[in-house]
Amino acid sequence: MSNEFRTSKAGVRLKRDKKIAFKFDGKIYQGFEGDTLASALIANGVKLIGRSFKYHRPRGCLTVGSEEPNAIVELRTGASREPNTRATMIEIYDGLEAHSQNRFPSLKFDIQSINQLLSPFLTAGFYYKTFMWPASFWEPVYEKFIRRSAGLGKAATEPDPDTYEHAHLHCDILIVGAGPSGLAAAKAATSSGANSGARVVIAEEQSDTGGMVSSELDQIDGVSAITWCQKTLAELSTHQNVTFMPRTVVFGYYDHNVMAALERVSDHLLKPDQDQPRQRLWTIRAKQVILACGSQERPLVFDNNDLPGVMLSSAARAFVERYAALPGKRIVISTNNDDAYRTAEVLKNYGVEIVAIIDARTDMTAKMQHLVDMGVRVLKGAVPQKAHGWQQVSSLSVQSISGEFIEKIDCDCVAVSGGFSVDVHLASQTGAAPIWNDDLQSFVPSIPIRAERSVGAGHGSFGLADCLIEGHQAGVDVAKQLGFKTTETKPPETEKGEPYTISSVWRCPGKGKAFVDFQNDVTAKDIALSAQEGFISVEHTKRYTTLGMATDQGKTSNVNGLALLATARGEAIDKVGTTRFRPPYSPVAIGAFAGRERGLEFQPTRRTALHECGEKLGAVFVEAGQWLRPQYYPKPGEDIMAAIYREAKQVRETAGICDVSTLGKIEIFGTDAAEFLNRLYINGWKMLAPGKARYGVMLREDGYVFDDGTTSRLSDDHFLMTTTTANAGRVLAHMEHASQVLWPELDIHFCSATEQWCGVAVAGPNARKILADAFGEALDISNDALPFMGVKTFHWLGTTARIFRISFSGELAFEVNVPWSSGENMWNAIWEAGQEYGLVPYGTEALSVLRIEKGHVAGNELDGRTTAADMGLGKMMSSKKEFIGKTLSQREGMIADDRATLVGLKLKDASARLRGGAHLFESRQGANSETDLGWVTSVADSPAMNSWIALAYIKGGLDEHEGKRLYAVNPLYGETPAVEVCSPHFFNAKGERLHV
């Protein structure tokens, strides 16, 4: 088939001089430039495009825009694969590949459509009831079933090759929507041309202007409505202060008139230009906002109303007007309002056979009479009963409004109109709850609480004349309000139409499946069941039935669903209310939120002053916070495990040097500096003498451990705090809050000094000899001159340096800090001096092995759930002073005897291995959450112990379990090694080597 459903008349968006070949489910089709995937498939006679989520029922296009719930496809293949994309929003291009989704083995024959036979058991809430019993079925049966059934499309498993950008824009007036009302507003706001000075941005979701006005039926200022829209946009585009943003959806309205918008920059291109992003996420700050968002037509709820070929009346009209694509050749139109008669007139002008118009209203209107005079059959007081067909509609049963069967009509398309829902999403996101308008049978925006106003159909004015008047007046008003001069002008002129009238029909009489939310297969019966079972709040109904929770966010289904809920409750719709509208208005790719900040560009890559020194020695680097740190230094033929083992062993036997520049460093000054630290840390600081360092632990306000590290007193009113690498920024923010909010009276000043000081740790039996040779007479580091936890400032090669007698490894160790610019000189001096003594470089992995052997806690143990007592540091908590977190750390659950506390683990079989994350049990059999004693936090292949060792948290700790045999169960690897609970201090427990 090739465009057999394409009319000879030109669609307003179609460029017939350029043919385009594309694929759908592997088959090649032809379209034209300007087509969407949906319009091109319809023109080729393809009505079956997707399958529904729960019942896998066949589905075709329901709408023509971003509200589409049915025609959801998967684009491209491989790393560029994009699931859950609306066919109505995809502009075709040569080479486009699209695939239907949520079906197996094929779209036409989907074996999971058998779910329709099970539908009596798959009603709303069935999963809440079914998957609760028996409990033992959850993991082996239910969880696997749910995971297989979840989702529609399949996400790509490879890194996204596309690029995304973030951009910011400031304007005086943001107009959302480039239909007649939006353009009238823009024209009025800039009526003095560029001299008006108002910076105006017009954001339009579609690729072109006009909104739903595309036909020759309407005239504005003496020309067709679409011509007027195009001419007006061309005129506005000549103004330097007017920006038109096509393919841009405003999806979020935030405080202070900050709007979030997504621009589809190159989604309509096979290969974007070099450096051209796929999408751009805009943050727009506007002084005034005009919402010209329009409205969305609702379907009628009748049996089998989801068959391919059943679509909205406005969509059928738009497919013909915009793309010259015929949704059918024998069309029945069913309506309860006048707008569908515009569809009938347009389709008839395009040569389509209108078999009948079915109108729920019983009184003859002027629109009805006009179509009757054109020779169209109109059935008053009638509604659909049931659509018939297998994979597309073939006929429609018609009944009276009271339910009596009238006749069965053969057709290949049913265009339905159940009225229009005003697009209140963005207006509601401001916090102004929408209100019910009974005349329109729709929610409408309430009084604005921000600097915004809604106009046109987005305000509930469905007549073209009213849209133009409202848009024009809004443009004049906001320009004047902002202080810009505008010329007195009149609104664009058009014929005043008849008032919009509608007769509410929320459920056509019937007993079969009548769908409300098409994508999630929510039926009218599901909503009635929800009310019957007590879920009568709109928010509860939404979650119990999944009404409005699909990718279209209920744009076509919410009002129908709420009306049916109101009927079940026996109340008016305005009493039932509506669910809350939240951003995003339509789906946004996660890549757009991330922008360019992903992979190595997620945050700035920071390298220490010693990075090149590590590179020269063959270091393999790892990300630590924002920094790159040497992870290990492999020798030829060594893998990572061998290199780590060698480095750790060498530090114990001779000496090692490690780059520790990334540790957070915060300089603290002031007469109250000691008092400030006293309130931050759990232990005391006032009595710390200058030239001494102390280990400290901070708590969060909730009593859990926040960070740890050493702080040195350089003089009476000068301290240097060190933090963990990853926590440095958070600790600084914590201190800022404490000094500015909690204790502003303290004389205290501090600043980050991480990048000012380059640091190395030199550890091992030969550490003192190496540093003595490296710094010579400039530094005395004898035990008397620099005892353990001592600090010294010295001068070396014309610069000030600091040395700290601190150990993280259990060995004799020193940390040396010099200004960043002197870092390489320091490293080279120590490296050259150390060659005589067997000095080796060691990375973060060997550092971790050494600290586990010594029993020092680190990031794995500080996981946000542990207290100081859990870590074995409870005795550090001072009872003589107050500090942040002290009160809440004494809550009953925080000091319970059965809390998991830190222990060590050693293997019963030295040839086995341990893994982090394993859970601990007394027996290999019957391991479950009830018998779980704790978990392994850190593991190491220890040279000192000649086997794998671990740190872990166990309920009851050493007091209850020391010497016991437990099993470290790791289901991911199928391992259950036997371990013995022991002290977490495996090596040099008494600390003799530290004080040498």
Side-chain angles (χ1 to χ4, degrees), residues 646-714:
R646 173 185 52 78
E647 291 171 18
K649 186 172 186 292
Q650 196 74 32
V651 171
R652 296 280 186 221
E653 294 177 352
T654 55
I657 181 171
C658 180
D659 182 0
V660 295
S661 305
T662 64
L663 291 177
K665 293 180 279 291
I666 301 172
E667 304 253 7
I668 307 169
F669 306 88
T671 56
D672 292 323
E675 175 62 24
F676 183 62
L677 291 172
N678 221 37
R679 299 180 186 185
L680 286 178
Y681 284 119
I682 65 175
N683 46 332
W685 291 84
K686 286 187 176 181
M687 303 306 295
L688 183 66
K692 288 290 185 177
R694 179 168 291 168
Y695 175 74
V697 174
M698 293 184 195
L699 304 184
R700 300 189 313 232
E701 290 184 345
D702 61 3
Y704 288 103
V705 174
F706 175 38
D707 198 63
D708 71 335
T710 59
T711 294
S712 305
R713 193 166 195 167
L714 304 180

Coordinates of all heavy atoms in Angstrom, one line a residue, residues 646-714:
R646 N 50.5 -6.4 46.7 CA 51.9 -6.0 46.8 C 52.1 -4.6 47.5 O 53.0 -4.5 48.3 CB 52.5 -6.0 45.4 CG 54.0 -5.4 45.3 CD 54.5 -5.3 43.9 NE 53.6 -4.6 43.0 CZ 53.5 -3.2 43.0 NH1 54.3 -2.5 43.9 NH2 52.7 -2.6 42.2
E647 N 51.3 -3.7 47.1 CA 51.5 -2.3 47.7 C 51.3 -2.3 49.2 O 52.0 -1.7 49.9 CB 50.5 -1.4 47.0 CG 50.8 -1.0 45.5 CD 49.7 -0.3 44.8 OE1 48.9 0.3 45.5 OE2 49.7 -0.2 43.6
A648 N 50.2 -3.0 49.6 CA 49.9 -3.0 51.0 C 51.0 -3.7 51.8 O 51.4 -3.3 52.9 CB 48.5 -3.7 51.3
K649 N 51.5 -4.8 51.2 CA 52.5 -5.6 51.9 C 53.8 -4.8 52.0 O 54.5 -4.8 53.0 CB 52.8 -6.9 51.1 CG 53.7 -7.9 51.7 CD 53.7 -9.2 50.9 CE 54.6 -10.3 51.6 NZ 56.0 -9.9 51.5
Q650 N 54.1 -4.0 50.9 CA 55.4 -3.2 50.9 C 55.3 -2.1 52.0 O 56.3 -1.8 52.6 CB 55.6 -2.7 49.5 CG 57.0 -2.1 49.3 CD 58.0 -3.3 49.1 OE1 57.7 -4.3 48.6 NE2 59.2 -3.1 49.5
V651 N 54.1 -1.5 52.1 CA 54.0 -0.5 53.1 C 54.3 -1.0 54.5 O 55.0 -0.4 55.3 CB 52.6 0.2 53.1 CG1 52.4 1.1 54.3 CG2 52.4 0.9 51.8
R652 N 53.8 -2.2 54.8 CA 54.1 -2.8 56.1 C 55.6 -3.2 56.3 O 56.1 -3.1 57.4 CB 53.3 -4.1 56.2 CG 51.8 -3.9 56.2 CD 51.2 -3.5 57.5 NE 49.8 -3.5 57.6 CZ 49.1 -2.5 58.1 NH1 49.7 -1.5 58.7 NH2 47.8 -2.5 58.2
E653 N 56.3 -3.5 55.2 CA 57.6 -4.0 55.3 C 58.7 -2.9 55.2 O 59.7 -2.9 55.8 CB 57.9 -5.1 54.3 CG 57.1 -6.3 54.5 CD 57.3 -7.4 53.4 OE1 57.9 -7.1 52.4 OE2 56.7 -8.5 53.6
T654 N 58.4 -1.9 54.3 CA 59.4 -0.8 54.1 C 58.7 0.5 54.2 O 58.7 1.1 55.3 CB 60.1 -1.0 52.7 OG1 59.1 -1.0 51.7 CG2 60.9 -2.2 52.6
A655 N 58.1 1.0 53.1 CA 57.4 2.3 53.2 C 56.6 2.5 51.9 O 57.0 2.0 50.9 CB 58.4 3.5 53.5
G656 N 55.6 3.4 52.0 CA 54.8 3.7 50.8 C 54.5 5.2 50.9 O 54.4 5.8 51.9
I657 N 54.2 5.7 49.7 CA 53.8 7.1 49.6 C 52.5 7.2 48.8 O 52.3 6.5 47.8 CB 54.9 8.0 48.8 CG1 54.5 9.4 48.8 CG2 55.2 7.4 47.5 CD1 55.6 10.4 48.3
C658 N 51.6 8.0 49.4 CA 50.2 8.1 48.8 C 49.8 9.5 48.7 O 50.0 10.3 49.6 CB 49.3 7.3 49.8 SG 47.5 7.3 49.2
D659 N 49.2 9.9 47.6 CA 48.6 11.2 47.4 C 47.3 11.4 48.1 O 46.3 10.7 47.9 CB 48.4 11.4 45.9 CG 47.9 12.8 45.5 OD1 47.7 13.6 46.4 OD2 47.7 13.1 44.3
V660 N 47.3 12.3 49.2 CA 46.1 12.5 50.0 C 45.7 13.9 49.8 O 45.0 14.5 50.7 CB 46.4 12.1 51.4 CG1 46.6 10.6 51.6 CG2 47.5 12.9 52.0
S661 N 46.0 14.6 48.7 CA 45.7 16.0 48.5 C 44.2 16.2 48.5 O 43.7 17.3 48.8 CB 46.3 16.5 47.2 OG 47.7 16.3 47.1
T662 N 43.4 15.2 48.2 CA 42.0 15.4 48.0 C 41.2 15.4 49.3 O 40.0 15.8 49.3 CB 41.4 14.2 47.1 OG1 41.5 13.0 47.8 CG2 42.1 14.2 45.8
L663 N 41.8 15.1 50.4 CA 41.1 15.2 51.7 C 40.6 16.6 51.9 O 41.4 17.6 51.6 CB 42.0 14.8 52.8 CG 42.4 13.3 52.9 CD1 43.4 13.1 54.1 CD2 41.2 12.4 53.1
G664 N 39.4 16.8 52.3 CA 38.9 18.1 52.5 C 39.7 18.8 53.6 O 40.0 18.3 54.7
K665 N 40.1 20.1 53.3 CA 40.8 20.8 54.3 C 40.1 22.2 54.5 O 39.8 22.9 53.6 CB 42.3 21.1 53.8 CG 43.1 19.7 53.7 CD 44.5 20.0 53.2 CE 44.5 20.0 51.7 NZ 44.2 18.7 51.0
I666 N 39.8 22.5 55.8 CA 39.1 23.7 56.1 C 39.9 24.4 57.2 O 40.1 23.9 58.3 CB 37.7 23.4 56.6 CG1 36.9 22.7 55.5 CG2 37.0 24.7 57.0 CD1 35.5 22.1 56.0
E667 N 40.3 25.6 56.9 CA 41.0 26.5 57.8 C 40.0 27.2 58.7 O 39.1 27.8 58.2 CB 42.0 27.5 57.1 CG 42.9 26.8 56.2 CD 44.4 26.8 56.7 OE1 44.6 27.2 57.8 OE2 45.3 26.4 55.9
I668 N 40.2 27.2 60.0 CA 39.3 27.8 60.9 C 40.0 28.8 61.8 O 41.1 28.5 62.4 CB 38.6 26.8 61.8 CG1 38.0 25.6 61.0 CG2 37.5 27.4 62.7 CD1 37.5 24.4 61.8
F669 N 39.5 30.1 61.9 CA 40.1 31.1 62.6 C 39.1 31.8 63.6 O 37.9 31.7 63.4 CB 40.6 32.2 61.7 CG 41.5 31.8 60.6 CD1 41.0 31.3 59.4 CD2 42.9 31.7 60.7 CE1 41.8 30.9 58.3 CE2 43.7 31.3 59.7 CZ 43.2 30.9 58.5
G670 N 39.7 32.4 64.6 CA 38.8 33.1 65.5 C 39.0 32.8 67.0 O 39.4 31.7 67.3
T671 N 38.7 33.7 67.9 CA 38.8 33.5 69.3 C 37.9 32.4 69.8 O 38.2 31.8 70.8 CB 38.6 34.8 70.1 OG1 37.3 35.3 69.8 CG2 39.6 35.9 69.7
D672 N 36.8 32.1 69.0 CA 35.9 31.1 69.5 C 36.0 29.8 68.6 O 35.1 29.0 68.6 CB 34.4 31.6 69.3 CG 34.1 32.7 70.3 OD1 34.6 32.6 71.5 OD2 33.4 33.6 70.0
A673 N 37.1 29.7 68.0 CA 37.3 28.5 67.1 C 37.2 27.2 67.8 O 36.6 26.2 67.4 CB 38.7 28.6 66.3
A674 N 37.9 27.1 69.0 CA 37.8 25.9 69.8 C 36.4 25.6 70.3 O 36.0 24.5 70.3 CB 38.8 26.0 71.0
E675 N 35.7 26.6 70.7 CA 34.3 26.5 71.1 C 33.4 26.0 70.0 O 32.6 25.1 70.2 CB 33.8 27.8 71.7 CG 32.3 27.7 72.1 CD 32.0 26.7 73.2 OE1 32.9 26.4 74.0 OE2 30.8 26.3 73.2
F676 N 33.7 26.5 68.8 CA 32.9 26.1 67.6 C 33.1 24.6 67.3 O 32.2 23.9 67.1 CB 33.4 27.0 66.4 CG 32.6 26.7 65.2 CD1 31.3 26.9 65.1 CD2 33.3 26.2 64.0 CE1 30.6 26.7 63.9 CE2 32.6 26.0 62.8 CZ 31.3 26.3 62.8
L677 N 34.4 24.2 67.4 CA 34.7 22.8 67.2 C 34.1 21.9 68.3 O 33.6 20.8 68.0 CB 36.2 22.5 67.1 CG 36.9 23.1 65.9 CD1 38.4 23.0 66.1 CD2 36.5 22.4 64.6
N678 N 34.1 22.4 69.5 CA 33.5 21.7 70.6 C 32.0 21.4 70.4 O 31.5 20.4 70.8 CB 33.7 22.5 71.9 CG 34.0 21.7 73.1 OD1 34.8 20.8 72.9 ND2 33.5 22.1 74.2
R679 N 31.3 22.3 69.7 CA 29.9 22.1 69.4 C 29.6 21.3 68.2 O 28.6 20.7 68.0 CB 29.2 23.5 69.3 CG 29.4 24.3 70.5 CD 28.7 25.7 70.3 NE 28.9 26.6 71.5 CZ 28.3 27.8 71.6 NH1 27.5 28.2 70.7 NH2 28.6 28.5 72.6
L680 N 30.6 21.2 67.3 CA 30.5 20.4 66.1 C 30.8 18.9 66.3 O 30.1 18.1 65.8 CB 31.4 20.9 65.0 CG 31.1 22.2 64.2 CD1 32.2 22.5 63.3 CD2 29.8 22.1 63.5
Y681 N 31.9 18.7 67.1 CA 32.3 17.3 67.3 C 31.8 16.7 68.6 O 31.4 17.4 69.5 CB 33.9 17.3 67.4 CG 34.6 17.4 66.0 CD1 35.4 18.5 65.8 CD2 34.4 16.5 65.1 CE1 36.1 18.6 64.6 CE2 35.1 16.6 63.9 CZ 36.0 17.7 63.6 OH 36.7 17.8 62.5
I682 N 31.7 15.4 68.6 CA 31.2 14.7 69.8 C 32.2 14.7 71.0 O 31.8 14.5 72.1 CB 30.8 13.3 69.5 CG1 32.0 12.4 69.1 CG2 29.8 13.2 68.4 CD1 31.7 10.9 68.9
N683 N 33.5 14.9 70.7 CA 34.5 14.9 71.7 C 35.0 16.4 72.0 O 34.7 17.3 71.3 CB 35.7 14.0 71.4 CG 36.2 14.2 69.9 OD1 35.4 14.6 69.0 ND2 37.4 13.9 69.7
G684 N 35.8 16.5 73.0 CA 36.2 17.8 73.5 C 37.4 18.4 72.7 O 38.3 17.7 72.2
W685 N 37.4 19.8 72.6 CA 38.5 20.4 71.8 C 39.1 21.6 72.5 O 40.1 22.1 72.0 CB 37.9 20.9 70.4 CG 37.6 19.7 69.6 CD1 36.4 18.9 69.6 CD2 38.4 19.0 68.6 NE1 36.5 17.9 68.8 CE2 37.7 17.9 68.1 CE3 39.7 19.3 68.1 CZ2 38.3 17.1 67.2 CZ3 40.2 18.5 67.2 CH2 39.5 17.4 66.7
K686 N 38.5 22.1 73.6 CA 39.1 23.3 74.2 C 40.5 23.1 74.8 O 41.3 24.1 74.8 CB 38.1 23.8 75.3 CG 36.8 24.4 74.8 CD 36.0 24.9 75.9 CE 34.8 25.7 75.4 NZ 34.0 26.2 76.5
M687 N 40.7 21.9 75.2 CA 42.0 21.7 75.9 C 43.1 21.2 74.9 O 44.2 20.9 75.3 CB 41.8 20.6 77.0 CG 40.8 21.0 78.0 SD 41.1 22.7 78.8 CE 42.7 22.4 79.6
L688 N 42.8 21.1 73.6 CA 43.8 20.6 72.7 C 44.9 21.7 72.6 O 44.6 22.9 72.3 CB 43.2 20.4 71.3 CG 44.1 19.9 70.2 CD1 44.6 18.5 70.5 CD2 43.4 19.9 68.8
A689 N 46.1 21.3 72.7 CA 47.2 22.2 72.7 C 47.6 22.6 71.3 O 47.5 21.7 70.4 CB 48.4 21.6 73.5
P690 N 48.2 23.8 71.1 CA 48.7 24.1 69.8 C 49.9 23.1 69.4 O 50.6 22.7 70.3 CB 49.3 25.5 69.9 CG 48.4 26.1 71.0 CD 48.2 25.0 72.0
G691 N 49.9 22.7 68.2 CA 50.9 21.7 67.8 C 50.4 20.3 67.9 O 51.2 19.3 67.8
K692 N 49.1 20.1 68.2 CA 48.6 18.8 68.4 C 47.4 18.6 67.5 O 46.7 19.5 67.1 CB 48.1 18.6 69.8 CG 49.2 18.4 70.8 CD 50.0 17.1 70.6 CE 51.0 16.8 71.7 NZ 51.7 15.5 71.5
A693 N 47.1 17.3 67.1 CA 46.0 17.0 66.3 C 45.1 16.0 67.0 O 45.5 15.4 68.0 CB 46.4 16.3 65.0
R694 N 43.8 15.9 66.7 CA 42.9 15.0 67.4 C 41.9 14.5 66.3 O 41.5 15.2 65.4 CB 42.2 15.8 68.5 CG 41.1 15.0 69.2 CD 40.7 15.7 70.5 NE 41.8 15.8 71.5 CZ 41.8 16.6 72.6 NH1 40.7 17.3 72.8 NH2 42.8 16.6 73.4
Y695 N 41.5 13.3 66.5 CA 40.5 12.6 65.7 C 39.1 13.0 66.2 O 38.9 13.0 67.4 CB 40.7 11.1 65.7 CG 39.6 10.4 65.0 CD1 39.5 10.3 63.6 CD2 38.6 9.7 65.7 CE1 38.5 9.6 62.9 CE2 37.6 9.0 65.0 CZ 37.6 8.9 63.7 OH 36.6 8.3 63.0
G696 N 38.2 13.4 65.3 CA 36.9 13.8 65.7 C 35.8 13.2 64.9 O 36.1 12.9 63.7
V697 N 34.6 13.2 65.4 CA 33.5 12.6 64.7 C 32.3 13.7 64.9 O 32.1 14.2 65.9 CB 33.0 11.3 65.3 CG1 31.7 10.8 64.7 CG2 34.1 10.2 65.1
M698 N 31.7 14.0 63.7 CA 30.5 14.8 63.7 C 29.3 14.0 63.5 O 29.3 13.0 62.8 CB 30.6 15.8 62.5 CG 31.7 16.8 62.5 SD 31.5 17.9 61.1 CE 33.1 18.7 61.1
L699 N 28.2 14.5 64.1 CA 26.9 13.9 64.0 C 26.0 14.8 63.2 O 26.2 16.0 63.2 CB 26.2 13.6 65.3 CG 26.9 12.7 66.3 CD1 26.0 12.5 67.5 CD2 27.4 11.4 65.7
R700 N 25.0 14.2 62.5 CA 24.0 15.0 61.9 C 23.0 15.4 63.0 O 23.1 14.9 64.2 CB 23.2 14.2 60.9 CG 24.0 13.8 59.7 CD 23.1 13.2 58.6 NE 22.1 12.3 59.1 CZ 21.9 11.0 58.6 NH1 22.7 10.6 57.6 NH2 21.0 10.3 59.0
E701 N 22.1 16.3 62.8 CA 21.2 16.7 63.8 C 20.3 15.6 64.3 O 19.8 15.6 65.4 CB 20.3 17.9 63.3 CG 21.0 19.1 63.1 CD 20.2 20.3 62.7 OE1 19.0 20.0 62.3 OE2 20.6 21.4 62.7
D702 N 20.1 14.5 63.5 CA 19.3 13.4 63.9 C 20.1 12.4 64.7 O 19.5 11.3 65.1 CB 18.6 12.7 62.7 CG 19.7 12.2 61.7 OD1 20.9 12.2 61.9 OD2 19.2 11.7 60.6
G703 N 21.4 12.6 65.0 CA 22.1 11.8 65.8 C 23.0 10.7 65.1 O 23.8 10.0 65.8
Y704 N 22.9 10.6 63.8 CA 23.7 9.7 63.1 C 25.0 10.3 62.7 O 25.1 11.5 62.5 CB 22.9 9.2 61.8 CG 21.8 8.3 62.1 CD1 20.5 8.7 62.1 CD2 22.0 6.9 62.4 CE1 19.4 7.9 62.3 CE2 21.0 6.1 62.7 CZ 19.7 6.5 62.6 OH 18.6 5.7 62.9
V705 N 26.0 9.5 62.5 CA 27.4 10.0 62.1 C 27.3 10.6 60.8 O 26.8 10.1 59.8 CB 28.4 8.8 62.2 CG1 29.7 9.3 61.7 CG2 28.5 8.3 63.6
F706 N 27.9 11.8 60.7 CA 28.0 12.6 59.5 C 29.3 12.5 58.8 O 29.4 12.2 57.6 CB 27.6 14.1 59.8 CG 27.8 15.0 58.7 CD1 27.4 14.7 57.4 CD2 28.2 16.3 58.9 CE1 27.4 15.6 56.4 CE2 28.3 17.2 57.9 CZ 27.9 16.9 56.6
D707 N 30.4 12.7 59.6 CA 31.7 12.7 59.0 C 32.8 12.5 60.1 O 32.4 12.7 61.3 CB 32.0 14.0 58.2 CG 33.2 13.8 57.2 OD1 33.1 13.0 56.3 OD2 34.2 14.5 57.4
D708 N 34.0 12.1 59.7 CA 35.0 12.0 60.7 C 36.3 12.6 60.0 O 36.4 12.8 58.8 CB 35.2 10.6 61.2 CG 35.8 9.7 60.1 OD1 35.6 10.0 58.9 OD2 36.4 8.6 60.5
G709 N 37.3 12.7 60.9 CA 38.6 13.2 60.4 C 39.4 13.8 61.5 O 39.0 13.9 62.6
T710 N 40.6 14.2 61.2 CA 41.5 14.8 62.2 C 41.5 16.4 62.0 O 41.3 16.9 60.9 CB 42.9 14.4 62.0 OG1 43.4 14.7 60.7 CG2 43.0 12.9 62.3
T711 N 41.6 17.0 63.2 CA 41.7 18.5 63.2 C 42.9 18.9 64.0 O 43.1 18.3 65.1 CB 40.4 19.2 63.7 OG1 39.3 18.9 62.8 CG2 40.6 20.7 63.9
S712 N 43.7 19.8 63.5 CA 44.9 20.2 64.1 C 44.9 21.6 64.6 O 44.3 22.5 63.9 CB 46.1 20.0 63.1 OG 46.2 18.7 62.6
R713 N 45.4 21.8 65.8 CA 45.5 23.2 66.3 C 46.8 23.8 66.0 O 47.9 23.4 66.5 CB 45.2 23.2 67.8 CG 45.0 24.6 68.4 CD 44.4 24.6 69.8 NE 43.8 25.9 70.1 CZ 43.1 26.1 71.2 NH1 42.8 25.1 72.0 NH2 42.6 27.3 71.5
L714 N 46.8 24.7 65.1 CA 48.1 25.3 64.6 C 48.5 26.5 65.5 O 49.7 26.8 65.7 CB 47.9 25.8 63.2 CG 47.5 24.8 62.2 CD1 47.4 25.4 60.8 CD2 48.4 23.6 62.2

